[in-house]
Amino acid sequence: MNKLRIPNHIGIIPDGNRRWAVENGLEKDKGYENGIEAGTKLCELMKQYGIKEATFYGFTTANNKRPKYQREAFTKACIKSVFEIAEKDANILVVGNDKTDIFPKELLKFSNKRVNYGKSNININFLINYDWKQDIGKDMVSKEIPRLDLIIRWGGQKRLSGFLPVQSVYSDFYFVDNYWPNFKEQDFIDALNWYQTCDVTLGG
Amino acid sequence: MNKLRIPNHIGIIPDGNRRWAVENGLEKDKGYENGIEAGTKLCELMKQYGIKEATFYGFTTANNKRPKYQREAFTKACIKSVFEIAEKDANILVVGNDKTDIFPKELLKFSNKRVNYGKSNININFLINYDWKQDIGKDMVSKEIPRLDLIIRWGGQKRLSGFLPVQSVYSDFYFVDNYWPNFKEQDFIDALNWYQTCDVTLGG
């Protein structure tokens, strides 16, 4: 493990929750709650590997166009995920549009203000009610979030879907076919091994 | 061919020129001139498939940090590529920082002003001396360039390297291992076939 080149900051796109639910004969909204454990496990793993910072794609203002029962489900899962990860010791920051009732009041205390839990060395950020258009405007809501070295997306799609357009300009992308609730430790290890093969040039 | 869902706008990242040169026992700067024919062939192919618009990643302000002989080589190749593609009939637009001597004077007439050749139905844009930081600021230099549906990158790397951060937020990414000078028609056909499997949700 010592020889690995460790990314400073990893972006996590935990996609495929609804498709997982359908595949398992469940209603679409049931996918989200089945992804919470995956997030907690991944955070533990990132700590073991010495990752200093990671940002999870929670939900976006565009996602809010989905049916209400789905919105409620992903909002609830995001809240639960933040608190379960905090409980395992992490420094939590939430970024997004908190000027609306859609932003969960339970997460207001983390909004643009990092809250440290335990004596943790890992910063975990969540994008909650995030709007990429707002973020590239003059009020860059994500200004506390540094450049992303590696972005890992679960669920088989090969796109960013508005995830931190500024921080992702020089990121390397790793795509996992598994749906997020099927997260395996090996997915992360494969991503990290693949990252070893990427040279970082920043265009130079 | 009629049944294909055709992307409105394709981004082309023609990477791997220097690695191709090294692999072929040439100096690094020789890769660029060997990629010109690839660009012309790809444009012809896109016209056949009814693509209405494509944007080529020429060079960036970050690329200008490279050694002078390489800079001269990629600048020359970009100029030649623009004129060879124009000659085959395309509506040409060049976007980038033209307020410096690094911007080739031969391309000034296309800068932020589309020039139509022949009776072409295809818009071909080139990013020349492009700076993503300038582009997301209040003077969005690429404002004439629409949303990208599909981005194809040659050369094996899985990243955007600052390519149109705003237009790429909802794009699907297709990565080709071939170095750009080894471009094959099949690369494009594979990309288009893969694109058929992507659903477009724009986050909804």
Side-chain angles (χ1 to χ4, degrees):
Chain A
M1 254 171 66
N2 276 337
K3 284 181 180 174
L4 286 182
R5 184 169 62 95
I6 295 296
N8 291 313
H9 180 203
I10 301 182
I12 306 293
I13 305 182
D15 194 29
N17 296 283
R18 291 182 294 176
R19 285 171 286 157
W20 178 89
V22 171
E23 201 176 76
N24 285 275
L26 301 168
E27 290 295 315
K28 281 184 178 174
D29 63 314
K30 300 299 177 206
Y32 301 109
E33 65 192 60
N34 282 284
I36 297 171
E37 197 187 334
T40 317
K41 275 163 78 177
L42 176 55
C43 280
E44 283 298 304
L45 202 56
M46 288 195 290
K47 277 200 267 186
Q48 284 170 33
Y49 275 83
I51 309 296
K52 297 283 181 241
E53 186 150 14
T55 300
F56 281 83
Y57 211 5
F59 68 91
T60 67
T61 53
N63 296 155
N64 290 327
K65 294 173 203 154
R66 295 180 188 169
K68 189 168 180 251
Y69 81 103
Q70 291 183 23
R71 260 166 35 217
E72 288 174 348
F74 65 63
T75 304
K76 203 174 149 186
C78 282
I79 297 168
K80 210 169 166 195
S81 196
V82 169
F83 283 98
E84 293 208 357
I85 288 170
E87 217 168 78
K88 301 272 186 179
D89 291 354
N91 308 319
I92 306 285
L93 176 72
V94 168
V95 163
N97 181 1
D98 63 2
K99 305 285 184 284
T100 148
D101 284 347
I102 287 169
F103 189 93
K105 62 182 185 318
E106 295 89 336
L107 301 182
L108 277 170
K109 67 172 177 171
F110 307 107
S111 183
N112 300 309
K113 198 179 58 191
R114 192 176 296 285
V115 180
N116 296 351
Y117 286 83
K119 44 182 192 296
S120 178
N121 290 322
I122 195 164
N123 288 349
I124 301 289
N125 315 313
F126 292 85
L127 304 187
I128 300 289
N129 201 38
Y130 173 82
D131 178 356
W132 68 269
K133 278 187 191 166
Q134 182 188 26
D135 202 16
I136 58 165
K138 71 182 190 321
D139 298 320
M140 188 180 172
V141 294
S142 72
K143 57 184 175 295
E144 299 299 321
I145 300 182
R147 186 169 75 74
L148 287 152
D149 301 291
L150 171 64
I151 296 173
I152 313 176
R153 181 175 185 138
W154 275 261
Q157 289 184 326
K158 296 188 172 71
R159 54 175 78 151
L160 285 174
S161 306
F163 184 67
L164 294 169
V166 172
Q167 289 88 342
S168 64
V169 293
Y170 291 123
S171 308
D172 287 297
F173 307 144
Y174 187 82
F175 301 100
V176 180
D177 283 332
N178 280 345
Y179 297 144
W180 174 246
N182 284 335
F183 165 82
K184 304 275 176 298
E185 289 198 3
Q186 194 62 42
D187 299 339
F188 175 74
I189 293 164
D190 290 344
L192 214 52
N193 285 332
W194 173 79
Y195 182 71
Q196 307 308 305
T197 68
C198 305
D199 65 327
V200 178
T201 63
L202 307 181
Chain B
M1 254 171 67
N2 276 338
K3 285 180 178 174
L4 285 181
R5 184 169 61 95
I6 295 296
N8 291 312
H9 180 204
I10 302 182
I12 305 292
I13 305 182
D15 194 28
N17 297 283
R18 291 182 294 175
R19 285 170 286 155
W20 177 89
V22 170
E23 201 177 76
N24 285 275
L26 301 168
E27 289 295 315
K28 281 183 178 173
D29 63 315
K30 299 300 176 205
Y32 301 110
E33 64 192 58
N34 282 284
I36 297 171
E37 197 188 334
T40 316
K41 275 162 79 175
L42 176 55
C43 280
E44 284 298 304
L45 203 55
M46 289 194 290
K47 277 199 268 186
Q48 285 171 32
Y49 275 82
I51 310 297
K52 296 283 181 243
E53 185 151 14
T55 299
F56 281 83
Y57 210 4
F59 69 92
T60 67
T61 53
N63 297 156
N64 290 327
K65 294 173 202 153
R66 296 179 187 169
K68 190 170 179 247
Y69 81 103
Q70 291 183 25
R71 261 165 35 217
E72 287 174 348
F74 66 61
T75 304
K76 204 175 147 186
C78 282
I79 297 168
K80 210 170 165 195
S81 197
V82 170
F83 283 98
E84 293 207 358
I85 288 170
E87 217 168 78
K88 301 272 186 180
D89 291 355
N91 308 320
I92 306 285
L93 176 72
V94 168
V95 164
N97 180 1
D98 62 3
K99 304 285 183 284
T100 147
D101 285 347
I102 286 169
F103 189 93
K105 61 181 186 320
E106 295 89 338
L107 301 182
L108 277 170
K109 67 171 178 172
F110 307 106
S111 183
N112 300 309
K113 197 179 60 192
R114 191 176 297 285
V115 180
N116 296 351
Y117 285 83
K119 43 183 194 293
S120 178
N121 290 322
I122 195 165
N123 287 349
I124 301 289
N125 315 313
F126 292 85
L127 304 187
I128 300 288
N129 201 36
Y130 173 82
D131 178 357
W132 68 268
K133 278 187 192 165
Q134 183 189 24
D135 203 18
I136 57 165
K138 71 182 188 322
D139 298 319
M140 189 181 172
V141 294
S142 71
K143 58 184 174 296
E144 299 300 321
I145 300 182
R147 187 169 74 74
L148 287 153
D149 301 292
L150 170 63
I151 296 174
I152 313 175
R153 181 175 185 139
W154 275 261
Q157 289 183 326
K158 295 190 173 70
R159 54 175 78 151
L160 285 174
S161 305
F163 184 68
L164 295 169
V166 172
Q167 288 87 343
S168 64
V169 294
Y170 291 122
S171 309
D172 287 298
F173 307 144
Y174 187 82
F175 300 101
V176 181
D177 283 333
N178 280 345
Y179 297 143
W180 174 245
N182 284 335
F183 165 83
K184 304 276 176 296
E185 288 198 4
Q186 194 61 43
D187 299 339
F188 174 75
I189 293 164
D190 289 345
L192 213 52
N193 285 333
W194 172 81
Y195 183 71
Q196 307 308 306
T197 69
C198 304
D199 65 326
V200 178
T201 64
L202 306 181

